Amino acid sequence: MIYVFAVSLIYTMIKKKDQLLGASRNLILFLILSIIGLTLGIVYVINPYLPSISAMLEKYMK
């Protein structure tokens, strides 16, 4: 699944390069969200039994 996400990131980068390169804010936001998504995918591959972010938030919000 992480490979599909990486391929879709590359496809989106190629398809929307004019829009992303037009404003530096768009490019920075795209890169930050992409890195976060890839990091979460790698963490899931390493240990798929970790609690999800929503489970952790629910635990601490009570």
Side-chain angles (χ1 to χ4, degrees):
M1 194 63 171
I2 195 166
Y3 300 118
V4 173
F5 183 68
V7 169
S8 67
L9 282 177
I10 293 169
Y11 175 75
T12 304
M13 184 73 162
I14 293 169
K15 189 85 168 166
K16 301 281 185 175
K17 72 177 181 181
D18 294 333
Q19 185 180 3
L20 289 172
L21 296 175
S24 63
R25 185 183 73 194
N26 291 345
L27 181 62
I28 292 170
L29 183 62
F30 179 78
L31 290 175
I32 289 172
L33 293 175
S34 299
I35 291 170
I36 290 171
L38 287 172
T39 305
L40 289 173
I42 291 169
V43 167
Y44 179 77
V45 168
I46 292 171
N47 189 358
Y49 299 107
L50 285 174
S52 66
I53 294 174
S54 61
M56 290 172 53
L57 287 174
E58 182 180 340
K59 178 182 170 184
Y60 292 112
M61 296 294 268
K62 287 185 177 181

